[in-house]
Amino acid sequence: MKPQEVLALCREKDVKAVDLRFIDFPGLMQHFTIPVNKLTDDVFEEGLGFDGSSIRGWQAINESDMLVVPQPGTAFVDPFCDIPTLAMICNIQDPITREDYSRDPRNVARKATAYLKSTGIADTCYIGPEAEFFIFDDVRYDQNQHEGYFHIDSIEGEWNRGRDEGPNLGYKLRYKEGYFPVPPADQLMNLRNEMMQTMIDCGLDVEAQHHEVGTAGQSEIDLRFNELVKMADSMMLYKYIIKNVAKRHNKTVTFMPKPLFGDNGSGMHTHISLWKNNEPLYAGSGYAGLSDLAMYGIGGLLKHAPAILAFSNPTTNSYKRLVPGYEAPVNLAYSQRNRSASIRIPMYSASPKAKRTEFRCPDPSCNPYLCFSAMLMAVIDGIQNKINPGDPLDKDIYDLPPEELAKVPKTPGSLDEALRALEKDHEFLLRGEVFTKDVIETWISYKLEKEFDAVRLRPHPYEFCLYFDI
């Protein structure tokens, strides 16, 4: 869509307001709104000013002026506003130099795709994420000087089998058995259908929706793969729609990786493939039907996985999901069918166009622009340096003898460990100035100070269970 087409759409839909959106450093969408008559041709070129000093991880107060530049290709009519409102994602620029801002996550993703083209390896990176999330009926939480707790509830939760619900109809999903019972056990089908249809109405290409393994409303809605930047844009709209449809029904959604103890966490298995001149580059005659190029890409992902996890699994809660011995893919290995390996080669189709690799570590708490870009940069490094991924791990990892399992590398065990890995291994991200040093340094310092240390310094409720009577 071009600027003139956006303006025509505003007239056609009798739009009254235009919502300008952008993504902060950790990955939350931000916005402000202008009257539709303030959206002119010039705005698409010149942008509009705002204060960047209050955005997490961005400018200092003495250099706070910034520009949002609307991107017409991202325009859609917002289905949740009371008056007709058109929304667009914006790029961020410096008002003096007019340079794209280094810490704008969308800018990082745009530079990653440009760098891919500059290498001559490929001209397109396709990304296909499978984001999981929980739909809850109630959530309460707090942490202060004298108390710390969370309380969540769901009509589906197994813990509510004995609750007086006037009446309790008994359809509660057992832990780890939410995949795929039909209604009435699946009590959220209609809600997920509404989420799916709203996504379609807003231009997203939805492939499927279903209940996930966890009790208490764990769900998944899958989008068809798309080019890297477009998919990151789509994931931001995806989260926005899911949260607002849930709110419309007095429910709430979280993309936290591990909100429930003792049941499955939420991951975001992410498929990646490279194409050139509309031809797939991952298909070949090697292991699992892969090309040498694809194998080198796997080698790059495995080599840099600990550093990538600083972006793909960027919360302290992420490492409550990535725990050895459970369902999460903590083993840095690859396999054509083994879901306990961190990289899987899906075997659903023999078509060369379907050939891709699936990185199973990421979770939906990530900033998709940074996560997808880090993955692509690792793949490029693997291809450029012909990194051998080693032998596949096609055995059942849980049946391996301890001495053999000990030889399989593991993902970092904490956010701190992942950030330290990024600190040591980030040269591959700096190529083409895709990730700049200020991005790496700010990401590490922000995450350590605002998140890792903030959690580390506070008493945990379970510590009272363990130690209060000492």
Side-chain angles (χ1 to χ4, degrees):
M1 194 177 296
K2 297 178 180 178
Q4 285 299 321
E5 293 173 311
V6 172
L7 297 174
L9 180 62
C10 289
R11 293 189 293 269
E12 176 190 344
K13 300 296 183 180
D14 194 27
V15 166
K16 304 297 185 185
V18 176
D19 205 45
L20 303 175
R21 302 180 179 182
F22 57 94
I23 293 80
D24 72 5
F25 206 41
L28 280 182
M29 188 173 280
Q30 312 291 315
H31 79 131
F32 66 92
T33 310
I34 61 174
V36 69
N37 65 352
K38 301 301 181 184
L39 182 67
T40 63
D41 286 332
D42 290 343
V43 171
F44 289 98
E45 292 294 329
E46 301 299 325
L48 293 170
F50 76 104
D51 177 5
S53 65
S54 298
I55 304 302
R56 297 181 300 171
W58 278 16
Q59 296 285 61
I61 193 70
N62 64 320
E63 50 183 17
S64 59
D65 290 347
M66 307 190 78
L67 294 175
V68 292
V69 183
Q71 300 304 296
T74 67
F76 70 98
V77 177
D78 193 303
F80 303 107
C81 295
D82 291 337
I83 66 171
T85 300
L86 181 132
M88 284 182 286
I89 295 177
C90 302
N91 292 337
I92 307 300
Q93 290 185 350
D94 184 286
I96 298 175
T97 66
R98 296 308 304 262
E99 292 180 352
D100 292 322
Y101 183 44
S102 63
R103 286 181 233 166
D104 173 13
R106 195 171 193 270
N107 181 34
V108 173
R110 290 163 57 219
K111 288 190 293 182
T113 57
Y115 177 67
L116 172 65
K117 293 177 183 178
S118 75
T119 65
I121 293 170
D123 52 37
T124 306
C125 174
Y126 283 119
I127 297 286
E130 300 175 357
E132 299 167 343
F133 53 94
F134 277 90
I135 303 171
F136 293 135
D137 293 294
D138 185 65
V139 58
R140 292 179 283 117
Y141 53 88
D142 202 1
Q143 176 83 55
N144 51 49
Q145 282 78 9
H146 70 98
E147 62 183 353
Y149 65 89
F150 68 90
H151 177 88
I152 54 181
D153 206 1
S154 165
I155 190 67
E156 286 187 352
E158 182 177 349
W159 60 82
N160 281 322
R161 288 185 299 188
R163 185 172 68 176
D164 183 0
E165 295 179 345
N168 186 327
L169 301 180
Y171 291 105
K172 311 300 180 188
L173 292 176
R174 288 178 287 273
Y175 297 113
K176 300 181 182 291
E177 292 189 22
Y179 195 88
F180 286 165
V182 298
D186 177 0
Q187 300 187 44
L188 299 169
M189 180 177 178
N190 288 331
L191 183 62
R192 290 195 310 273
N193 275 340
E194 184 177 334
M195 293 171 175
M196 177 175 71
Q197 188 57 51
T198 306
M199 290 180 189
I200 293 170
D201 293 343
C202 290
L204 298 184
D205 190 352
V206 181
E207 290 196 321
Q209 64 89 350
H210 59 83
H211 205 289
E212 257 298 337
V213 174
T215 188
Q218 192 181 33
S219 299
E220 179 175 320
I221 303 176
D222 295 330
L223 302 180
R224 180 175 172 78
F225 67 89
N226 208 335
E227 297 175 21
L228 189 151
V229 176
K230 291 180 180 178
M231 181 51 74
D233 289 342
S234 295
M235 286 307 299
M236 300 309 300
L237 179 53
Y238 172 99
K239 287 187 172 184
Y240 177 74
I241 290 171
I242 286 173
K243 290 178 179 179
N244 279 281
V245 170
K247 184 176 182 294
R248 181 188 283 167
H249 292 270
N250 206 31
K251 294 182 183 292
T252 188
V253 162
T254 183
F255 290 91
M256 277 181 66
K258 192 72 172 180
L260 293 182
F261 171 68
D263 208 337
N264 281 31
S266 292
M268 190 180 75
H269 306 152
T270 302
H271 301 250
I272 186 169
S273 65
L274 300 183
W275 290 54
K276 190 173 185 179
N277 298 324
N278 293 318
E279 293 295 327
L281 301 181
Y282 267 33
S285 57
Y287 174 79
L290 292 177
S291 63
D292 288 345
L293 179 142
M295 295 299 289
Y296 296 143
I298 291 174
L301 278 174
L302 291 176
K303 176 182 177 181
H304 298 297
I308 295 171
L309 262 64
F311 293 109
S312 65
N313 303 75
T315 69
T316 59
N317 187 253
S318 298
Y319 299 87
K320 304 293 195 297
R321 167 183 169 257
L322 290 179
V323 178
Y326 292 86
E327 83 285 352
V330 299
N331 301 288
L332 294 178
Y334 70 98
S335 173
Q336 63 181 344
R337 302 185 74 175
N338 193 336
R339 281 174 161 79
S340 57
S342 61
I343 296 178
R344 186 177 74 94
I345 299 92
M347 302 301 291
Y348 298 125
S349 172
S351 169
K353 294 183 177 181
K355 195 57 64 178
R356 70 241 190 230
T357 58
E358 176 191 19
F359 189 40
R360 296 176 62 80
C361 295
D363 68 55
S365 70
C366 73
N367 183 326
Y369 299 94
L370 301 182
C371 171
F372 301 159
S373 298
M375 288 177 56
L376 174 57
M377 294 301 288
V379 166
I380 293 173
D381 184 62
I383 294 168
Q384 288 177 327
N385 292 289
K386 296 185 176 180
I387 298 174
N388 189 331
D391 296 328
L393 188 61
D394 289 333
K395 302 175 183 178
D396 186 342
I397 291 176
Y398 302 112
D399 288 340
L400 289 179
E403 61 274 12
E404 192 171 346
L405 184 60
K407 297 177 183 178
V408 181
K410 300 292 188 294
T411 57
S414 68
L415 177 59
D416 175 59
E417 192 178 334
L419 292 169
R420 297 306 176 197
L422 176 62
E423 196 170 41
K424 295 177 182 177
D425 177 27
H426 61 258
E427 288 299 320
F428 73 101
L429 297 171
L430 301 178
R431 292 174 191 151
E433 297 186 342
V434 173
F435 287 78
T436 52
K437 282 190 176 294
D438 73 299
V439 168
I440 302 295
E441 291 169 358
T442 304
W443 185 264
I444 292 172
S445 62
Y446 181 92
K447 286 287 176 177
L448 284 175
E449 178 186 349
K450 301 294 186 181
E451 298 181 27
F452 180 77
D453 284 347
V455 171
R456 180 177 61 87
L457 293 172
R458 285 166 169 79
H460 189 285
Y462 195 64
E463 289 178 317
F464 286 80
C465 301
L466 293 173
Y467 309 127
F468 186 77
D469 60 347
I470 287 177

